[in-house]
Amino acid sequence: MTSTARTGYTSIPNQKYRRSNRRSRQRCNSLDTDSQSLSALGCFKTLPLEIFQMVLNYLSVKDISMLSMVSKTISNRLINYISTPSGNRRLLLQDFHNLELPGKREGSYILEHYKSLGLLLKRCTLLLPTKDRLKYIHKILSEVSCFKLNGCPSPLHCLGLQCYGIFLQILTAGWDELECHRVFNFLCELSNLPRKVQTVVSSKPGSARKLELRIRLYCRSVLLNHWIHRSDSAFWLTRILKPWPMVNQARLLYIIFGPVSSLDGHVVWQKMIEGPTDETSLKGLADAIKLLYDTEAREWTADDVISLVDELSVVPREWLMENNARLLILSGNSICFTFMASKAVNGRTLELARLMVFLALVCEKDLYCMDWAVKMMQKVCKVFSTPGERNNFLQCVENVFAHMIMDMLQAVLSGDRDEEDSSFLNLFHLVNAQANFHKEILYLTMRSNSSTV
């Protein structure tokens, strides 16, 4: 019994000792963690959280973003600050319609603010997975109605989407393509962009004018306008267009980059059909086509782009040939030649001849060098496989000149003149175009003859 009592007596203190030792180690670890956390705060460790956040109110957004890189602990405190009502009021400026504040250049101050905010949130969320970063940022920005596709009642007079686009550009700069794919899918889910695009590309052009305008503004301001490198712009434009069949791609391209009314900003669908247009109306489309044709746009082949241009020329109905020719000239030599060579290879000689004449007419009207048109015709002639095909093409060019002059002359003689007397003016330009076109051919012929003598 004595032995038993001694055994029981000695075992109890041992158990108590072990439990006491474990607890003391836990307290030590807790103190170590707290001290590490406090040391990561540096000089701010003596400040209560409320005072720390008050200090932040005296720092610029750029300074706060620099502060976020000091330590993970400070970064977490900044994330908490951004989520507070006072942080929201400070950082989420919403003067999107007040474009002329005293002492500020029009709209520039708020654009710079959101550029800095993008950098701040980029740094604060650096250690999070892409999915979690996007969720957190959406949570912060979700209350800003002007960042939404249908959120602002006056989108033409609002900088909200531009600020959102600059913010996203800074946030995602340097991300790889897989992460950018996730960003695009995330934005599509938030804005319901695919369903809205489906509505406008499957409806009669102009029947959903307000939605067309909002899609145009969202795509340009949020996804396309703020990139520095062409490869980035090509990537985002590809994301917008590629999910759709070619006919819908052409319609969507026109909605985003086509001509708009100077009065209400809505897409002008009849611009290319009713009469000759100017360079301004076509420049956006031409720049987009050049972007897709560029080697940076890896997901597009030359055939894809030429098919898109061909499809675009019948949106919403067949364009005037002069507008087709002007678009090709603005799109650059490579695209113009590839488009014409495609017609030559496919035996569409008469179409090619008409296009050649209108290229000469646009050169005359817009004061381009006519020798460019002659050199383009030379290159196209080399595409034909036999001399007979080439001679047939040249004969077609001359026939088109003759027929067009006769048609315009008949319109002038009929006396049906409008206020601008456009019939006579068109005839004047065409006759001059033919004369200058043939003059350049004569110069070229004489130079080649003199070089062989």
Side-chain angles (χ1 to χ4, degrees):
M1 289 181 65
T2 304
S3 174
T4 304
R6 188 179 298 115
T7 303
Y9 175 80
T10 55
S11 64
I12 292 173
N14 288 339
Q15 291 177 355
K16 286 185 176 180
Y17 173 79
R18 283 196 299 271
R19 185 162 57 246
S20 174
N21 188 43
R22 184 170 63 249
R23 286 178 175 175
S24 65
R25 283 201 302 269
Q26 287 175 346
R27 282 198 297 270
C28 290
N29 290 339
S30 176
L31 289 172
D32 288 343
T33 303
D34 290 343
S35 64
Q36 288 173 4
S37 177
L38 289 173
S39 66
L41 285 172
C43 296
F44 294 110
K45 66 183 178 181
T46 59
L47 296 179
L49 181 60
E50 294 79 3
I51 304 299
F52 175 76
Q53 293 184 354
M54 289 175 64
V55 171
L56 295 178
N57 289 330
Y58 291 92
L59 299 179
S60 69
V61 181
K62 286 185 179 179
D63 291 337
I64 297 174
S65 71
M66 291 293 291
L67 183 62
S68 69
M69 296 189 294
V70 171
S71 69
K72 184 178 179 182
T73 305
I74 286 184
S75 181
N76 288 335
R77 285 207 174 185
L78 292 177
I79 288 176
N80 293 332
Y81 167 71
I82 295 168
S83 303
T84 62
S86 62
N88 260 256
R89 285 193 301 271
R90 164 82 193 287
L91 298 174
L92 296 184
L93 301 184
Q94 298 191 39
D95 297 324
F96 303 123
H97 306 90
N98 192 10
L99 304 185
E100 297 181 355
L101 290 180
K104 305 288 186 180
R105 286 186 295 122
E106 185 175 335
S108 62
Y109 83 99
I110 197 166
L111 294 173
E112 285 298 320
H113 173 83
Y114 275 95
K115 184 182 291 187
S116 300
L117 184 61
L119 187 59
L120 169 59
L121 289 178
K122 184 189 189 81
R123 288 170 172 172
C124 283
T125 60
L126 189 63
L127 300 178
L128 296 176
T130 301
K131 187 176 180 180
D132 294 337
R133 294 176 90 174
L134 294 174
K135 284 183 177 179
Y136 169 74
I137 290 166
H138 169 62
K139 181 182 177 182
I140 297 297
L141 303 182
S142 60
E143 299 303 317
V144 184
S145 60
C146 289
F147 287 173
K148 300 172 184 176
L149 192 148
N150 284 322
C152 181
S154 182
L156 281 175
H157 306 97
C158 177
L159 287 175
L161 292 179
Q162 291 185 51
C163 289
Y164 192 33
I166 285 179
F167 173 88
L168 287 173
Q169 186 265 324
I170 295 296
L171 177 72
T172 60
W175 291 16
D176 62 33
E177 284 197 3
L178 180 59
E179 291 175 313
C180 291
H181 273 280
R182 290 194 181 110
V183 173
F184 181 75
N185 292 335
F186 187 77
L187 292 173
C188 285
E189 185 177 345
L190 290 181
S191 62
N192 211 358
L193 183 63
R195 187 178 67 81
K196 290 178 170 61
V197 169
Q198 177 66 54
T199 299
V200 296
V201 297
S202 58
S203 304
K204 182 180 178 182
S207 62
R209 296 168 70 227
K210 291 183 179 179
L211 185 55
E212 290 170 356
L213 172 61
R214 289 187 179 276
I215 289 173
R216 178 189 179 96
L217 293 175
Y218 188 85
C219 289
R220 291 177 68 133
S221 298
V222 176
L223 300 175
L224 298 173
N225 282 356
H226 307 292
W227 298 104
I228 299 171
H229 303 293
R230 290 178 61 81
S231 58
D232 292 323
S233 300
F235 171 84
W236 290 99
L237 182 55
T238 300
R239 302 282 69 74
I240 294 169
L241 296 179
K242 272 295 185 180
W244 306 98
M246 188 67 70
V247 62
N248 290 342
Q249 288 179 15
R251 178 87 77 89
L252 187 53
L253 198 69
Y254 194 96
I255 289 172
I256 298 173
F257 296 105
V260 295
S261 168
S262 58
L263 298 176
D264 56 16
H266 291 129
V267 178
V268 182
W269 289 99
Q270 306 303 316
K271 186 84 170 179
M272 307 301 173
I273 302 165
E274 294 177 341
T277 189
D278 54 9
E279 290 184 6
T280 306
S281 299
L282 289 164
K283 188 178 185 306
L285 291 168
D287 288 344
I289 291 166
K290 284 191 286 187
L291 186 66
L292 298 178
Y293 191 81
D294 199 343
T295 53
E296 297 287 352
R298 298 187 300 274
E299 297 175 59
W300 297 83
T301 65
D303 286 343
D304 289 337
V305 178
I306 296 308
S307 298
L308 183 59
V309 174
D310 217 10
E311 201 67 56
L312 185 63
S313 67
V314 292
V315 173
R317 296 192 305 279
E318 188 173 357
W319 291 10
L320 294 182
M321 187 63 78
E322 182 178 328
N323 293 334
N324 275 334
R326 188 169 279 108
L327 176 65
L328 288 174
I329 290 175
L330 293 174
S331 298
N333 291 353
S334 295
I335 293 173
C336 184
F337 170 71
T338 306
F339 186 84
M340 297 178 75
S342 174
K343 290 187 180 296
V345 168
N346 290 300
R348 297 159 71 175
T349 307
L350 183 57
E351 288 181 38
L352 180 60
R354 291 190 72 238
L355 182 56
M356 191 68 249
V357 170
F358 275 101
L359 286 175
L361 179 59
V362 172
C363 286
E364 176 65 26
K365 280 187 171 185
D366 296 355
L367 304 179
Y368 296 124
C369 294
M370 191 62 75
D371 67 336
W372 174 87
V374 173
K375 290 176 181 176
M376 183 61 68
M377 187 175 72
Q378 273 188 306
K379 288 181 66 177
V380 171
C381 283
K382 295 176 182 178
V383 175
F384 292 103
S385 55
T386 65
E389 291 177 341
R390 183 185 66 239
N391 293 340
N392 179 48
F393 165 64
L394 296 175
Q395 183 64 57
C396 285
V397 170
E398 294 305 315
N399 290 342
V400 170
F401 264 123
H403 290 153
M404 284 180 60
I405 289 175
M406 292 302 296
D407 290 342
M408 289 184 182
L409 181 60
Q410 187 175 0
V412 170
L413 295 176
S414 67
D416 295 333
R417 299 183 181 181
D418 53 25
E419 294 180 0
E420 299 179 355
D421 204 7
S422 59
S423 298
F424 180 80
L425 193 60
N426 287 337
L427 178 60
F428 171 80
H429 283 307
L430 184 60
V431 170
N432 275 327
Q434 184 185 41
N436 288 323
F437 185 73
H438 288 136
K439 178 188 70 175
E440 292 297 335
I441 293 175
L442 290 174
Y443 285 164
L444 187 65
T445 304
M446 295 303 294
R447 281 197 296 269
S448 61
N449 287 341
S450 62
S451 62
T452 56
V453 174

